[in-house]
Amino acid sequence: MSEVPWVEKYRPRSLEEYVGNSEAVEHLIRWVKNWDPKGKKAALLYGPPGVGKTTIALIVARMFNYDLVEMNASDWRTAEKVSRVAGRAAEQGTLYGQSRRIILIDEVDGIAGEDVGGLTALLDVMRKSRNPVILVANDIWQPRFSILREVCELIEFKRLTSRDIVKHLKRICAMEELEADDDALKVIAEKSEGDMRSAVNDLQTVSYGRKRITVEDVSWLAVRNRILPIFDALKLVFYAKTVNGAKSAFEMVDMDPEMFFEWVYENVPAQFNAPEDLAEAFENLALADLFLARIKREQNWKLLSYALEYMTAGVAVSRRYSKPKWAPFKFPSRIKFLSALKARRELLNSLAAKIASKTHASKSKAVREYLPYLKAIAILNPSLCEKIGKNLGLTEEEFSVLGGLKEAPEKPSRVKYARRR
Ligand SMILES: Nc1ncnc2c1ncn2[C@@H]1O[C@H](COP(=O)(O)OP(=O)(O)OP(=O)(O)O)[C@@H](O)[C@H]1O
Ligand SMILES: [Mg+2]
């Protein structure tokens, strides 16, 4: 079972649930109510991420009982696509007595990064529209948006106050039957810097496996912005004084869990010298690895806290007989190994592409059927091979592949290693 993100689960569906930016909200409602095809065709909602711009557009459409035609502008690469999709929707009106529509065009910043056509088409759609258009953007002060600024009703959304954020978090806690200290919610709110999406995500992360949230549980948020170098995070694991200290290590680095796993895994042997401790640490890492694999397979992120606990606190408490000693931290060798493999694959791929284009075969056929002959020629008749290589336009590196590509060795398995005792 995978957990629904709370930002979706608790996305406000009505004005009562929506917090903050009341002036902007009133402005928008007034504008929709008084919308007149001869006036400004579109409202442009702008402001920082996660403050409810998209959400309020959805709520307002529902309030007026309008159908919402939603489009994400970042998907639009070309003018043609914009006018095809949006144009049709905008022109259709109250034919056949169907209800009015609101056209929502989200993430306008993403439109027409390189291609001005997208923007021109957007303006055209607005001009033709017989329905209110709501545009949403983060940054509207880029020069290329100057016309958009002129023709739209501008409505600014501001960062939310901590008070507003706490109010929404409390509602979520109540629905989730989660007990949370006011101060803990305040820490989350303050750390989010007015971004409700990030606050709600933090609340969900912190609450995994907990029924109650205290200030202590959220204390790591306070240092998150000060991202630690990986070595400092490893110190927290290997020289942990408390279980919570070890657990906080992962939160403090900007790294995905699997990469963090590799770092811990690589460094366990140098940090622990007692065999009992080593065995215990690897046992815990094996469990972490199993959880990581399951998360990947089932996309079950709820399990992440278990994986993290085994690879941080689990390793930290494995130290019973080993004395803490200084040893330099090492870069994970599996990562090095995998990137070497990747480079090898890329090389083979570019070689195959060259053979394929000369022989009018597919790349896989080039590898399967032509490459073995080229390799044989390289051994039997090196000078001929050199000529062929020149003719194919091979780089020196690609040419070296013909000299004998070794089969890629099997990727070493971490779990197997950990289980061998
Ligand atoms: N004012 C708010 N009141 C309650 N919840 C909110 C509010 N603003 C945002 N949220 C929560 O945060 C999530 C993200 O909000 P939304 O998508 O509306 O942000 P946005 O301003 O459109 O951000 P972006 O600029 O990144 O698109 C919502 O699903 C909702 O759960
Ligand atoms: Mg949005």
Side-chain angles (χ1 to χ4, degrees), residues 7 10-12 18-19 49-55 138 168 196-197:
V7 280
Y10 297 109
R11 186 195 281 275
Y18 189 88
V19 301
V51 299
K53 301 182 298 299
T54 303
T55 305
N138 289 128
H168 185 62
M196 184 71 91
R197 183 186 294 113

Side-chain angles (χ1 to χ4, degrees), residues 389-400:
K390 278 214 183 88
N391 188 262
L392 288 172
L394 300 187
T395 65
E396 214 165 286
E397 274 188 307
E398 287 159 353
F399 190 71
S400 75

Side-chain angles (χ1 to χ4, degrees), residues 51-62:
V51 299
K53 301 182 298 299
T54 303
T55 305
I56 195 65
L58 303 176
I59 292 177
V60 167
R62 194 176 298 122

Side-chain angles (χ1 to χ4, degrees), residues 66-83:
Y66 285 179
D67 282 341
L68 189 87
V69 181
E70 194 179 351
M71 279 163 260
N72 190 330
S74 15
D75 298 339
W76 298 347
R77 285 287 164 263
T78 64
E80 183 260 333
K81 224 171 160 187
V82 180
S83 38

Side-chain angles (χ1 to χ4, degrees), residues 301-350:
W301 289 93
K302 231 176 162 177
L303 299 175
L304 184 59
S305 58
Y306 299 109
L308 291 176
E309 240 163 77
Y310 278 117
M311 67 173 107
T312 55
V315 169
V317 300
S318 303
R319 182 187 297 281
R320 273 178 300 164
Y321 305 104
S322 312
K323 293 262 168 305
K325 62 164 184 162
W326 187 86
F329 289 120
K330 282 191 297 186
F331 187 89
S333 52
R334 269 173 45 90
I335 301 293
K336 260 194 240 158
F337 172 82
L338 289 177
S339 47
L341 262 192
K342 185 160 169 264
R344 193 80 185 158
R345 256 198 325 269
E346 278 163 7
L347 190 59
L348 186 59
N349 194 35
S350 67

Side-chain angles (χ1 to χ4, degrees), residues 257-262 285-298 301 303-304 307-308 311 414:
E258 286 195 305
M259 187 67 174
F260 190 70
F261 178 100
E262 295 294 343
L285 282 176
L287 290 168
D289 193 36
L290 287 178
F291 278 114
L292 286 176
R294 199 180 313 160
I295 291 167
K296 213 170 183 179
R297 204 168 54 238
E298 299 164 10
W301 289 93
L303 299 175
L304 184 59
L308 291 176
M311 67 173 107
R414 324 184 274 226

Side-chain angles (χ1 to χ4, degrees), residues 180-408:
D181 294 356
D182 282 0
D183 286 343
L185 296 183
K186 227 188 249 163
V187 171
I188 295 179
E190 264 150 32
K191 279 299 132 193
S192 73
E193 296 177 346
D195 176 344
M196 184 71 91
R197 183 186 294 113
S198 112
V200 172
N201 281 333
D202 281 347
L203 179 68
Q204 186 170 15
T205 308
V206 169
S207 72
Y208 278 147
R210 293 196 172 102
K211 284 250 153 269
R212 165 137 198 254
I213 301 175
T214 65
V215 172
E216 218 198 4
D217 298 326
V218 296
S219 57
W220 59 268
L221 285 173
V223 285
R224 184 181 48 182
N225 295 345
R226 192 175 54 106
I227 285 173
L228 284 188
I230 176 70
F231 292 145
D232 289 340
L234 289 175
K235 271 189 224 154
L236 281 176
V237 172
F238 289 112
Y239 309 129
K241 297 215 169 57
T242 63
V243 165
N244 275 337
K247 279 203 284 194
S248 66
F250 174 74
E251 323 283 7
M252 292 188 190
V253 285
D254 185 18
M255 190 177 273
D256 67 53
E258 286 195 305
M259 187 67 174
F260 190 70
F261 178 100
E262 295 294 343
W263 275 98
V264 176
Y265 175 78
E266 182 73 28
N267 286 289
V268 161
Q271 298 295 330
F272 290 159
N273 45 25
E276 297 88 342
D277 296 1
L278 266 177
E280 175 88 22
F282 275 125
E283 190 64 40
N284 285 325
L285 282 176
L287 290 168
D289 193 36
L290 287 178
F291 278 114
L292 286 176
R294 199 180 313 160
I295 291 167
K296 213 170 183 179
R297 204 168 54 238
E298 299 164 10
Q299 290 296 305
N300 185 353
W301 289 93
K302 231 176 162 177
L303 299 175
L304 184 59
S305 58
Y306 299 109
L308 291 176
E309 240 163 77
Y310 278 117
M311 67 173 107
T312 55
V315 169
V317 300
S318 303
R319 182 187 297 281
R320 273 178 300 164
Y321 305 104
S322 312
K323 293 262 168 305
K325 62 164 184 162
W326 187 86
F329 289 120
K330 282 191 297 186
F331 187 89
S333 52
R334 269 173 45 90
I335 301 293
K336 260 194 240 158
F337 172 82
L338 289 177
S339 47
L341 262 192
K342 185 160 169 264
R344 193 80 185 158
R345 256 198 325 269
E346 278 163 7
L347 190 59
L348 186 59
N349 194 35
S350 67
L351 171 63
K354 286 184 181 171
I355 299 175
S357 84
K358 274 275 179 335
T359 58
H360 303 285
S362 68
K363 276 198 284 187
S364 68
K365 189 168 177 190
V367 171
R368 223 174 37 241
E369 297 186 9
Y370 297 125
L371 192 57
Y373 286 107
L374 290 174
K375 285 184 185 176
I377 295 170
I379 297 166
L380 300 171
N381 190 343
S383 69
L384 175 61
C385 185
E386 208 164 308
K387 273 191 208 143
I388 297 176
K390 278 214 183 88
N391 188 262
L392 288 172
L394 300 187
T395 65
E396 214 165 286
E397 274 188 307
E398 287 159 353
F399 190 71
S400 75
V401 175
L402 300 182
L405 181 77
K406 305 257 177 338
E407 281 305 306

